[in-house]
Amino acid sequence: MEISTQIGILLNSSVLSIQLFFLTLLFSLPLGLVIAIGRMSKYKIISIPVKIYQVIMRGTPLLLQLIFVYYIMNSILKDYGIIIQRFPAAVIAFVLNYAAYFSEIYRGGIESMPQGQYEAAKTLGYTRSQTFVRIIFPQVIKRILPPMCNEFMTLVKDTSLAQVIAVSEIFYNANSIASTTYTFTPIFIAGVIYLLMNFIVQRCFDFAEKKLNYYR
Amino acid sequence: MSILDVKNIKKSFDQLAVLKDISFSVNEGEVVAIIGPSGSGKSTLLRCITQLERADEGEITLCGLEMCKSVNSKSVYSSHEVLHKIQLSCGLVFQNFHLFPHYSVLKNVMDAQIHVLKQSKPKAKQIALDFLDKMGLSDKADAYPCQLSGGQQQRVSIARALALNPKILFFDEPTSALDPELTGEILKVIKELAKENMTMVIVTHEMSFARDVADKVIFMDDGYIVEEGDPREVINNPKSERTKQFLKRFSGEE
Ligand SMILES: Nc1ncnc2c1ncn2[C@@H]1O[C@H](COP(=O)(O)OP(=O)(O)OP(=O)(O)O)[C@@H](O)[C@H]1O
Ligand SMILES: [Mg+2]
């Protein structure tokens, strides 16, 4: 098989990887914030289940979670006539997993905010939700950019795990070409594509950090 | 007419009794200085009055609105709406400014007007610029807090509090985080406000300032008000032994 053909196939399949990447972020970033707030709740009935959720999601392999959502959930839901397709199953597993990681990053950021910001906002008459939205959260974003960048880059690479439930992403195709052509070239090409994607991620974060550098 | 009435306030943190029985009142237009040794409960008292802490016992009335009253020797607080209304009638200036670092100076002074008082944007901007001008900071409107000196930051925080048109303004050691040469500019601003009959309660370690500006001085020690009265009387001729001891430490400074 021509190398250019291989590159073409892999670039085509990278669309699916990129979709998985963005869909995961779209849902897990807000969900992570909700989980972080639940985790910080003073009501144990909320904070303890959330903690258990985090332990399970962060304590078991994403690979296993993918298999769980696709095979086990499907075998359970089959009786109700519900079938989760491969790609949505991957998105669900990624969202649940990454939301757990993001939630801890948010929590770290929120808890690092000085008490004085809350107190100043309170004495100025801001409500609790205004204080969070207008004063606290914008500053949290700046603080969590470095760990978030890490997490985003890991996510780019983790999309390759979706091959375990036969989602036709980059690595799934690289593997199948490699096994039919008996060469490693597709694996290298896949590596270059991941590297390229992460280069873009890194640049975006550099840009965001620079943008928020106007205050300390 | 009294604008703030504090009656028999008590406040403990766990086992530690910090405010043991505090009563005083502040009249409209009056400037009250609170002095006393470290740990005597001055900040805690201001924080109770400005709702950053809740008193365990006692009554607080601000601008005719009842914040809390004593029922069976326990403070019972008013409804959320009343508390919010009281919150808006008082401002607090912190020792460490606590400006919002992600907002420009102008936005620091405008934002609460718009989102808390629901003031229109042009009006809020006008008011903010007027107060910044008054604080001598017109040229810093577009700067960010991190670009300002401590004294400038503190003046912004005073402008931020004033922009909400409070009936009474509290200061908790407004100059303690500042270099001596910057202290003067803040004291000058407070003196100006006093001339305009702004009602103020100021916790301070600046004795000569307290004597010059305050209409009344309160000396606190160990959770009690030990002495209160005319500043020249309290500072120059203290009656209690504790006050004398405390003031002796400052006498060398003048
Ligand atoms: N949130 C808190 N939890 C526990 N103890 C506290 C808390 N806030 C204050 N205290 C204690 O209450 C006492 C009085 O503190 P406070 O800050 O009111 O004193 P202060 O008169 O303002 O002192 P300073 O002049 O040093 O500012 C201190 O012993 C302090 O350790
Ligand atoms: Mg204090």
Side-chain angles (χ1 to χ4, degrees), chain A residues 158-174:
Chain A
D158 274 356
T159 55
S160 63
L161 294 174
Q163 65 168 311
V164 77
I165 55 172
V167 172
S168 176
E169 45 72 54
I170 303 171
F171 213 74
Y172 179 86
N173 286 284

Side-chain angles (χ1 to χ4, degrees), chain A residues 20 61-64 66-67 90 94 98 154-167 169 171 194:
Chain A
L20 182 55
L62 177 51
L63 205 62
L64 185 152
L66 280 158
I67 293 169
F94 271 84
Y98 269 79
T154 307
L155 175 57
V156 166
K157 294 176 286 180
D158 274 356
T159 55
S160 63
L161 294 174
Q163 65 168 311
V164 77
I165 55 172
V167 172
E169 45 72 54
F171 213 74
Y194 286 117

Side-chain angles (χ1 to χ4, degrees), chain B residues 62-109:
Chain B
L62 246 160
C63 305
L65 293 170
E66 189 176 74
M67 183 189 306
C68 57
K69 62 170 185 242
S70 238
V71 176
N72 298 331
S73 66
K74 261 199 132 39
S75 281
V76 177
Y77 275 75
S78 297
S79 70
H80 188 77
E81 288 73 37
V82 175
L83 292 182
H84 184 71
K85 218 166 162 184
I86 295 173
Q87 187 86 71
L88 291 180
S89 64
C90 58
L92 174 61
V93 173
F94 298 85
Q95 180 175 345
N96 295 312
F97 335 130
H98 300 323
L99 293 175
F100 304 133
H102 58 308
Y103 286 163
S104 69
V105 164
L106 182 63
K107 190 137 192 234
N108 263 281
V109 186

Side-chain angles (χ1 to χ4, degrees), chain A residues 49-62:
Chain A
V50 168
K51 226 165 163 172
I52 292 171
Y53 170 85
Q54 289 177 323
V55 166
I56 293 172
M57 285 299 154
R58 302 198 303 155
T60 60
L62 177 51

Side-chain angles (χ1 to χ4, degrees), chain B residues 112-175:
Chain B
Q113 292 186 65
I114 295 169
H115 293 96
V116 176
L117 299 186
K118 311 293 174 199
Q119 190 79 267
S120 77
K121 229 172 171 173
K123 185 89 191 293
K125 186 170 178 183
Q126 196 48 55
I127 291 172
L129 288 172
D130 286 349
F131 277 111
L132 286 175
D133 188 40
K134 194 168 160 189
M135 296 293 140
L137 291 167
S138 332
D139 54 330
K140 297 290 181 194
D142 295 322
Y144 284 86
C146 60
Q147 300 166 321
L148 304 182
S149 74
Q152 290 168 334
Q153 289 188 49
Q154 190 60 297
R155 281 183 280 152
V156 175
S157 92
I158 295 171
R160 180 176 72 172
L162 288 173
L164 299 181
N165 193 23
K167 300 267 180 350
I168 178 168
L169 197 50
F170 298 89
F171 295 79
D172 192 358
E173 302 194 32
T175 62

